[in-house]
Coordinates of all heavy atoms in Angstrom, one line a residue:
E99 N -50.8 174.9 82.7 CA -51.4 174.5 84.0 C -52.1 175.7 84.6 O -52.6 175.6 85.7 CB -50.4 174.0 84.9 CG -49.7 172.7 84.5 CD -50.7 171.5 84.4 OE1 -51.5 171.4 85.4 OE2 -50.8 170.8 83.4
A100 N -52.2 176.8 83.9 CA -52.7 178.1 84.6 C -53.3 179.0 83.6 O -52.8 180.1 83.2 CB -51.5 178.8 85.3
E101 N -54.5 178.6 83.1 CA -55.4 179.4 82.3 C -56.6 179.9 83.1 O -57.0 179.1 84.0 CB -55.8 178.7 81.0 CG -54.7 178.2 80.1 CD -53.9 179.3 79.6 OE1 -54.4 180.0 78.7 OE2 -52.7 179.5 80.0
Y102 N -57.1 181.1 82.8 CA -58.1 181.6 83.7 C -59.2 182.2 82.9 O -59.0 182.8 81.8 CB -57.5 182.7 84.6 CG -56.5 182.2 85.6 CD1 -55.2 182.1 85.3 CD2 -56.9 181.7 86.8 CE1 -54.2 181.6 86.2 CE2 -56.0 181.2 87.7 CZ -54.7 181.2 87.4 OH -53.8 180.7 88.3
L103 N -60.4 182.1 83.4 CA -61.6 182.8 82.9 C -62.6 183.1 84.0 O -62.5 182.6 85.1 CB -62.3 181.9 81.8 CG -62.8 180.5 82.2 CD1 -64.2 180.6 82.8 CD2 -62.8 179.6 81.0
E104 N -63.6 183.9 83.6 CA -64.6 184.3 84.6 C -66.0 184.2 83.9 O -66.1 184.6 82.7 CB -64.4 185.8 85.0 CG -65.5 186.2 86.0 CD -65.2 187.7 86.5 OE1 -64.1 187.9 87.1 OE2 -66.0 188.6 86.2
I105 N -66.9 183.6 84.6 CA -68.3 183.5 84.0 C -69.3 184.2 85.0 O -69.1 184.2 86.2 CB -68.7 182.0 83.8 CG1 -68.6 181.2 85.1 CG2 -67.9 181.4 82.7 CD1 -69.1 179.8 85.0
A106 N -70.3 184.8 84.4 CA -71.4 185.5 85.1 C -72.6 184.5 85.2 O -72.9 183.9 84.2 CB -71.7 186.8 84.4
L107 N -73.2 184.4 86.3 CA -74.3 183.5 86.5 C -75.6 184.1 86.9 O -75.6 185.2 87.6 CB -73.9 182.5 87.6 CG -72.6 181.7 87.4 CD1 -72.2 180.8 88.6 CD2 -72.7 180.8 86.1
Q108 N -76.7 183.5 86.5 CA -78.0 184.0 86.8 C -78.5 183.5 88.2 O -79.5 184.0 88.7 CB -79.0 183.5 85.8 CG -78.7 184.1 84.4 CD -79.7 183.5 83.3 OE1 -80.5 182.6 83.6 NE2 -79.6 184.0 82.1
A109 N -77.8 182.5 88.7 CA -78.2 181.9 90.0 C -76.9 181.5 90.7 O -75.9 181.1 90.1 CB -79.1 180.7 89.8
P110 N -76.9 181.6 92.0 CA -75.6 181.2 92.7 C -75.4 179.7 92.7 O -76.4 178.9 92.7 CB -75.9 181.6 94.2 CG -77.4 181.7 94.3 CD -77.9 182.1 92.9
V111 N -74.1 179.3 92.6 CA -73.8 177.9 92.6 C -72.6 177.6 93.6 O -72.0 178.6 94.0 CB -73.3 177.4 91.2 CG1 -74.4 177.7 90.1 CG2 -72.0 178.1 90.8
D112 N -72.4 176.4 93.9 CA -71.3 176.0 94.7 C -70.1 175.9 93.8 O -70.1 175.1 92.8 CB -71.6 174.7 95.4 CG -70.3 174.2 96.2 OD1 -70.0 174.7 97.2 OD2 -69.7 173.2 95.7
P113 N -69.0 176.6 94.1 CA -67.9 176.6 93.2 C -67.3 175.2 92.9 O -66.9 174.9 91.7 CB -66.8 177.5 93.8 CG -67.6 178.4 94.7 CD -68.8 177.5 95.2
E114 N -67.2 174.3 93.9 CA -66.6 173.0 93.7 C -67.6 172.2 92.9 O -67.1 171.4 92.0 CB -66.3 172.3 95.0 CG -65.9 170.9 94.9 CD -64.7 170.7 94.0 OE1 -63.9 171.6 93.8 OE2 -64.5 169.6 93.5
A115 N -68.9 172.3 93.1 CA -69.8 171.5 92.2 C -69.7 172.0 90.8 O -69.8 171.2 89.8 CB -71.2 171.7 92.8
L116 N -69.6 173.3 90.6 CA -69.4 173.9 89.2 C -68.1 173.3 88.6 O -68.1 172.9 87.4 CB -69.4 175.4 89.3 CG -69.1 176.1 88.0 CD1 -70.2 175.9 87.0 CD2 -68.8 177.6 88.2
R117 N -67.0 173.3 89.4 CA -65.7 172.8 88.8 C -65.9 171.4 88.4 O -65.5 171.0 87.3 CB -64.7 172.9 89.9 CG -63.3 172.6 89.4 CD -62.4 172.0 90.5 NE -62.9 170.7 91.0 CZ -62.7 169.6 90.4 NH1 -62.2 169.5 89.2 NH2 -63.2 168.5 90.9
A118 N -66.5 170.5 89.2 CA -66.6 169.1 88.9 C -67.5 168.9 87.7 O -67.2 168.1 86.8 CB -67.2 168.3 90.1
A119 N -68.6 169.7 87.6 CA -69.5 169.5 86.5 C -68.9 169.9 85.1 O -69.0 169.2 84.1 CB -70.8 170.3 86.7
L120 N -68.2 171.0 85.1 CA -67.5 171.5 83.9 C -66.4 170.5 83.5 O -66.2 170.3 82.4 CB -67.0 172.9 84.1 CG -68.1 174.0 84.2 CD1 -67.5 175.3 84.5 CD2 -68.8 174.1 82.8
D121 N -65.6 170.1 84.5 CA -64.5 169.1 84.2 C -65.0 167.9 83.6 O -64.4 167.3 82.7 CB -63.8 168.8 85.5 CG -62.5 168.1 85.3 OD1 -61.7 168.5 84.5 OD2 -62.3 167.0 85.9
A122 N -66.2 167.4 84.1 CA -66.8 166.2 83.5 C -67.3 166.4 82.1 O -67.3 165.5 81.3 CB -67.9 165.7 84.4
A123 N -67.7 167.6 81.8 CA -68.3 167.9 80.5 C -67.2 168.2 79.4 O -67.6 168.3 78.2 CB -69.3 169.1 80.6
L124 N -66.0 168.4 79.8 CA -64.9 168.7 78.9 C -64.1 167.5 78.6 O -64.1 166.5 79.4 CB -64.0 169.8 79.4 CG -64.5 171.2 79.4 CD1 -63.7 172.2 80.3 CD2 -64.6 171.8 78.0
S125 N -63.4 167.5 77.4 CA -62.6 166.3 77.1 C -61.4 166.3 78.0 O -60.8 167.3 78.4 CB -62.1 166.5 75.6 OG -63.2 166.5 74.7
P126 N -60.9 165.0 78.3 CA -59.7 164.9 79.1 C -58.5 165.6 78.4 O -58.3 165.5 77.2 CB -59.4 163.4 79.1 CG -60.8 162.8 79.0 CD -61.5 163.7 78.0
G127 N -57.8 166.4 79.1 CA -56.8 167.3 78.6 C -57.2 168.7 78.6 O -56.3 169.6 78.6
L128 N -58.5 169.0 78.7 CA -59.0 170.3 79.1 C -59.6 170.1 80.4 O -60.7 169.7 80.6 CB -60.0 170.8 78.0 CG -59.5 171.0 76.6 CD1 -60.7 171.4 75.7 CD2 -58.4 172.0 76.5
D129 N -58.8 170.4 81.5 CA -59.1 170.0 82.8 C -59.4 171.3 83.7 O -58.6 172.2 83.7 CB -58.0 169.2 83.4 CG -57.7 168.0 82.6 OD1 -58.6 167.4 82.1 OD2 -56.5 167.6 82.5
V130 N -60.5 171.3 84.3 CA -60.9 172.4 85.2 C -60.3 172.1 86.6 O -60.7 171.1 87.3 CB -62.4 172.6 85.3 CG1 -62.8 173.8 86.2 CG2 -63.0 172.8 83.9
L131 N -59.4 173.0 87.1 CA -58.6 172.7 88.3 C -59.2 173.4 89.5 O -59.0 172.9 90.6 CB -57.2 173.1 88.0 CG -56.5 172.6 86.8 CD1 -55.0 173.1 86.7 CD2 -56.5 171.1 86.8
D132 N -59.8 174.6 89.3 CA -60.2 175.3 90.5 C -61.3 176.3 90.1 O -61.4 176.7 88.9 CB -59.0 176.1 91.0 CG -59.1 176.6 92.4 OD1 -60.2 176.3 93.1 OD2 -58.2 177.3 92.9

Side-chain angles (χ1 to χ4, degrees):
E99 294 294 315
E101 300 298 289
Y102 294 90
L103 60 83
E104 179 178 297
I105 56 176
L107 302 175
Q108 299 174 353
V111 303
D112 174 71
E114 175 54 27
L116 176 66
R117 186 209 64 77
L120 289 173
D121 190 53
L124 286 166
S125 299
L128 297 177
D129 302 323
V130 182
L131 308 180
D132 199 3

